[in-house]
Every structure is written in structure tokens, then in C-alpha cells.
């Protein structure tokens, strides 16, 4: 957790975006191996993001009251870049391709997706969302550890049931199984309803960078 906090401090994002009470670490010490890999919520399964650390995000109380999102909405993941993540958190909703991010750049459509079809993509497993196609590595030097890391960002989300479609992987995995729990054929969700997805956690993972 301390490395995750150091990383997030280095981003200089507004402190008010975060909610410490929702912080959660999924390392093997904090979330032991025998514990469940797959959790059911809102009548759908999602895979525990083992090896990641979650920094809790503030969620609009209106959404909690109006939609009972903690009980009725499912859990999904959305891998993204630093700029797109901050844009989503500041604007309080997800972006569709063609929208302008906070730095003025336009959100594009990833390779592998159908050109000119504008959707937001999520997954019930972080094994998919953490593909570097979605969540590129960011260099991060920890002065506490004197170590250079590659850090990845994935948003943990609540998503409205029955508001999206399910499709197979689009990252050219071929016959390689991406997640032991979710088949490749059902690994990607897509929707064009921006307000059907709410980010409630910023998940980060670090790997020591080889030089
Ligand atoms: Zn831990």
C-alpha cells in the first residue's frame, strides 16, 4: 500500500478524488491464496485482482442512493492511461472515442476494435484489462525503495447490469487463454452508455523495471 500511495502522490492528482476507506490490497499477504478467486456480485462474477492495490475513489452519493450500486451493479475493470484515468475521474463519467480528454487530446479507438464504432470496453477480469494494449506501463521511480518500476493503472468499476453486450477478446490472444476463470469468448464487455459505469477504485500494479 505504501508504494501505491507514493506512486499516486507522484501523479499530483487532486486529493479530493480519493476515499481512503475504500483502499484495499490484493497481495498474497492481505488476500491469501486460499481465499476466493471469483466473487459474485449483482448476479455476475468477477475475478479478484490478485497482485494489485486499490486506492479508493470517491463515489457520488446520488448514485449510491438512486441505483444501490454496491448491491445491484456488477464489478468490472477498465485498463487505461494516466491522462484518460484522470479525465474520467474529473469529469465523473467515462469517455467514448472521439471525446476530448482534459489535455485536449482526442480519445481514439484501439487496434482490434471495429473502426468508427464508439464504445467503452470493460472486463470482469483484470487479466484482460491489464493488457498493455489498454493499460500501458508508466515508468515510476520510488525514492523510498530506490527502485525503478513499471506501473499500470486499471479502474475498478461498478457497471449497470443489462446495459452492455459481451464479446470475445480483441487483443489477438489467439488460442492463448487469458484468464483461468473467464473464457476468452466472454471476456470483453462493451457499451455506449457513459453513465452506466462508475469508477470506485484506482488499481495499481508495479513491476521492477529491468535495465
Ligand atoms: Zn498487501
Amino acid at each position: 500500500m505504501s508504494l501505491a500511495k507514493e506512486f499516486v502522490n507522484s501523479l499530483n492528482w487532486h486529493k479530493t478524488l480519493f476515499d481512503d476507506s475504500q483502499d484495499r490490497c490484493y497481495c498474497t499477504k492481505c488476500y491469501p491464496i486460499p481465499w476466493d478467486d471469483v466473487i459474485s456480485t449483482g448476479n455476475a462474477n468477477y475475478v479478484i485482482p490478485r497482485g494489485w492495490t486499490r486506492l479508493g475513489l470517491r463515489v457520488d452519493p446520488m448514485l449510491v442512493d438512486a441505483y444501490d450500486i454496491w448491491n445491484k451493479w456488477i464489478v468490472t475493470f477498465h485498463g487505461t492511461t494516466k491522462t484518460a484515468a484522470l479525465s474520467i475521474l474529473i469529469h465523473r463519467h467515462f469517455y467514448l472515442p472521439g471525446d476530448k480528454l482534459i489535455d485536449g487530446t482526442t480519445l481514439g479507438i484501439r487496434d482490434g476494435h471495429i473502426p468508427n464504432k464508439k464504445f467503452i470496453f470493460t472486463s470482469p477480469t483484470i487479466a484482460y484489462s491489464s493488457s498493455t494494449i489498454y493499460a500501458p506501463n508508466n515508468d515510476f521511480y520510488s525514492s523510498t525503495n530506490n527502485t525503478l518500476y513499471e506501473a499500470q493503472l486499471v479502474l475498478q468499476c461498478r457497471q449497470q447490469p443489462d446495459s452492455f453486450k459481451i464479446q470475445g477478446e480483441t487483443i489477438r490472444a489467439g488460442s492463448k487463454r487469458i484468464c483461468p476463470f473467464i473464457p476468452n469468448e466472454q471476456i470483453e464487455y462493451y457499451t455506449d452508455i457513459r453513465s452506466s459505469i462508475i469508477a470506485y477504485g484506482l488499481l495499481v500494479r508495479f513491476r521492477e523495471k529491468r535495465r
Side-chain angles (χ1 to χ4, degrees), residues 51-86:
W52 292 71
T53 304
R54 178 174 79 208
L55 296 145
L57 297 169
R58 274 205 197 171
V59 172
D60 188 332
M62 179 278 287
L63 294 163
V64 178
D65 291 347
Y67 297 106
D68 192 14
I69 61 170
W70 303 126
N71 295 309
K72 294 191 174 152
W73 286 25
I74 69 168
V75 174
T76 57
F77 301 95
H78 178 82
T80 188
T81 62
K82 281 194 275 195
T83 301
L86 182 59

Side-chain angles (χ1 to χ4, degrees), residues 174-189:
S175 57
K176 190 180 162 214
R177 175 113 188 191
I178 297 163
C179 172
F181 309 106
I182 307 287
N184 282 17
E185 295 71 33
Q186 296 171 28
I187 211 160
E188 187 164 74
Y189 298 171

Side-chain angles (χ1 to χ4, degrees), residues 2 25 85 96 109 162 164 166 171 206:
S2 58
C25 181
L96 287 167
I109 297 173
D162 305 318
F164 56 86
I166 301 175
I171 58 172
F206 303 94

Side-chain angles (χ1 to χ4, degrees), residues 18-101:
F18 295 95
D19 174 3
D20 290 358
S21 71
Q22 298 295 318
D23 287 356
R24 180 95 198 245
C25 181
Y26 293 100
C27 78
T28 49
K29 268 188 222 149
C30 303
Y31 195 92
I33 299 284
W35 292 11
D36 285 347
D37 288 307
V38 180
I39 302 281
S40 181
T41 179
N43 287 330
N45 289 334
Y46 75 97
V47 182
I48 290 291
R50 289 184 180 278
W52 292 71
T53 304
R54 178 174 79 208
L55 296 145
L57 297 169
R58 274 205 197 171
V59 172
D60 188 332
M62 179 278 287
L63 294 163
V64 178
D65 291 347
Y67 297 106
D68 192 14
I69 61 170
W70 303 126
N71 295 309
K72 294 191 174 152
W73 286 25
I74 69 168
V75 174
T76 57
F77 301 95
H78 178 82
T80 188
T81 62
K82 281 194 275 195
T83 301
L86 182 59
S87 299
I88 289 165
L89 301 186
I90 296 228
H91 287 223
R92 317 307 279 164
H93 65 65
F94 278 71
Y95 284 65
L96 287 167
D99 288 345
K100 272 196 184 169
L101 303 178

